[in-house]
Amino acid sequence: MIKITLPDGSEREYETGSTSLEIAKSISEGLARKVLAASINGEVYDITKPITEDAVFKLLTWDDSEGKSTFWHSSAHLMAEAVQSVFPHAKFWVGPAIDKGFYYDIDLGDTKMSEDDLIGLEKKMNELAKQNNSFNRKAMPKAEAINYFKEKGDEYKLDLLNNLKDGEISFYTQGNFTDLCRGPHIPSTGFIKAIKLTSIAGAYWKGDEKNKQLTRIYGVTFPNQKELEEYLLMLEEAKKRDHRKLGKELSIFTMDDDVGQGLPLWMPNGTIIIEELEKLAKETESAAGYKRVVTPHIAKESMYLTSGHLPYYADSMFPPMELDGTKYYLKAMNCPHHHKIFDAEPKSYKDLPYRIAEYGTCYRYEQSGELFGLMRVRCLHMNDAHIYCSKDQFGAEFRAVNEMYLKYFKIFGIDKYVMRLSLHDPSKLGQKYVNEPELWKETEAMVRQVLIESNIPYVEVQDEAAFYGPKIDVQIWSAIGREFTLATNQVDFNSGNKFKLSYTTQHNTTEVPLIIHRAPLGTHERFIGFLLEHYAGKFPIWIAPLQVKILPISDKFMDYANKVVQHLKKADIRAEIDDRNEKIGKKIRDTELLKVPYMLVIGEKEMNEEQVSIRRQGKGDIGVKGLIEFIEEISLEIMERRVE
Ligand SMILES: [Zn+2]
Ligand SMILES: [Zn+2]
């Protein structure tokens, strides 16, 4: 018998050699019909694989990320089968699952494929999926596999085989298609109920431009039609909300070739957003006991040798400037500068926790192919801070940082978020991870405890920590369900040693502080890019570049319009008058396009009674109010930073 431990911690006994499918059936027939794969002691397998030892066990369905990737990788095989039936001479390289869907790199010989061919391929895939062919695994000795592909004349699979050991080679067949693959796969093609091939592109074999260019076909599949339709709708909406498009339409930022790639210029509207974000951060951090600092944009090579950024991180830094025989680098992170501030004056336990914050400007050399709007840039402004504390203080400090994230999520109306807790691998201490076994255990346990107690959804991932401590990657979802990586929250028990930082304890001994690196609002670049999509450019009033637009019906009311704008400005409200000689209908339509939260229409009646006629973005006409009453109401809306 074998012992199977289920995710809820319960244990069950099964006959040795039982399969995941049998275990699923013993739990529930309904579940068994949905199971795509199974995680056995942390590895994902086909559900037909016999289990021969005790295992920590999880059935994977469409709701699990590993379930989805197995589904999508299997869809890549299905697509290959369809391609092979249309282009029998096609040769296949690799077909992995990706973030959302899958692709396959294919050598089509002299045949050229276009987007138009994708519809035919989709049709073929649907046909093949309906046949509900099962994915059958077959292990094969290496020599036999080599012979098989030599006969086929398939140099791609022969290349893959070169890197595989004898004894670990397997083939998967579904219908008329056989592929070299380590698996796992879903049980059969019938699970794939909705198919969309999204695009076609050229891709150099092994990503090397000296090699032959293969055809890469991207696709995405779902277990039902409804999810595909929702996904296509989301894509369409994402296009409308594209931060590069909105950034231009709303005059938020611009790029200029003379300035350089990946170096955004913030226009007046974008600068207002930046200033509002910084105001929020300063208020929040001040209340949480942080002090502000300012540091230079460059530093000498010697500091980056101490921090270890050089030579390891050199590829991501701009090349050095040489002056009087000394090399200077643009800073890629603020941490070393902050460590120097900690070190500038002697510290005792009374000074801890020592929290210093800065919206620091960093420069990173991203490859030009990697640059993307505001999401991947070479100059970034980080909502940075470092907390230096004792081990005893660590738990409370880490909790406070997490609470700050949650506070921000509420302000910005971010309802969906997950924290990824990245842990170390004890077998790699001293190589991939700093050799502090006890500290790793302690801090990981404390971080986990904080996440559990604050009721924050999180997942744990092994062997993905930073070199110097466990970290949390924060994933957030925009209003249309797209995922963004916001920021990392890291524990560091190494830099203190490297920079010889210390403080005097109550017992007059010397200790090295623990350091927390945190940036809840990430960078201005990425966060504003996210907000543009999240709000579709319709910013909440507190952060909107222009808060109120005054639309006089004709020139006759300009004096009153001026009076209104003066009152608004006195109350610190960003307002301006549309003084163009246009019909009121056109003024309203144009202001709608600029997504200004409030419009005040002003005519005879409003002027005589010192009132304003109010239109709210997205709601239309919301009635008439006294000018003073209106100002009081929106001042409150701004002060409370209401989402709507
Ligand atoms: Zn496969
Ligand atoms: Zn840092």
Side-chain angles (χ1 to χ4, degrees), residues 161 463 573 591:
L161 275 169
D463 197 16
I573 294 161
T591 313

Side-chain angles (χ1 to χ4, degrees), residues 73 77 172 179-185:
H73 170 62
H77 280 233
Y172 278 83
D179 206 353
L180 172 73
C181 180
R182 60 189 292 271
H185 280 281

Side-chain angles (χ1 to χ4, degrees), residues 497-552:
N497 282 319
K498 277 191 184 157
F499 280 84
K500 301 195 169 63
L501 306 184
S502 67
Y503 66 94
T504 318
T505 68
Q506 253 161 314
H507 314 291
N508 229 0
T509 55
T510 305
E511 284 274 353
V512 180
L514 280 178
I515 303 169
I516 298 173
H517 305 246
R518 43 110 284 178
L521 296 176
T523 65
H524 280 322
E525 287 70 18
R526 189 171 281 215
F527 197 60
I528 293 173
F530 165 81
L531 290 181
L532 277 164
E533 171 175 313
H534 187 53
Y535 295 132
K538 294 168 193 154
F539 288 98
I541 186 165
W542 70 274
I543 203 170
L546 182 63
Q547 295 168 318
V548 180
K549 189 112 182 179
I550 299 147
L551 315 179

Side-chain angles (χ1 to χ4, degrees), residues 409 413-417 477 534:
F409 292 164
I414 297 166
D415 302 325
K416 189 179 171 196
Y417 53 88
W477 277 260
H534 187 53

Side-chain angles (χ1 to χ4, degrees), residues 469-514:
K471 62 171 182 158
I472 291 182
D473 291 312
V474 183
Q475 310 291 120
I476 55 175
W477 277 260
S478 75
I480 54 166
R482 281 213 316 147
E483 185 180 349
F484 288 76
T485 301
L486 180 58
T488 322
N489 187 8
Q490 299 187 342
V491 188
D492 176 354
F493 32 81
N494 193 44
S495 301
N497 282 319
K498 277 191 184 157
F499 280 84
K500 301 195 169 63
L501 306 184
S502 67
Y503 66 94
T504 318
T505 68
Q506 253 161 314
H507 314 291
N508 229 0
T509 55
T510 305
E511 284 274 353
V512 180
L514 280 178

Side-chain angles (χ1 to χ4, degrees), residues 538 549 551 588-589 591-592 596-601 612-625 630 644:
K538 294 168 193 154
K549 189 112 182 179
L551 315 179
I588 291 174
R589 277 194 305 280
T591 313
E592 284 282 351
V596 182
Y598 285 99
M599 282 180 241
L600 303 179
V601 179
V612 288
S613 218
I614 309 161
R615 292 184 71 89
R616 181 77 168 98
Q617 163 74 238
K619 286 191 183 143
D621 191 345
I622 57 166
V624 180
K625 275 194 184 130
F630 170 73
E644 181 147 342

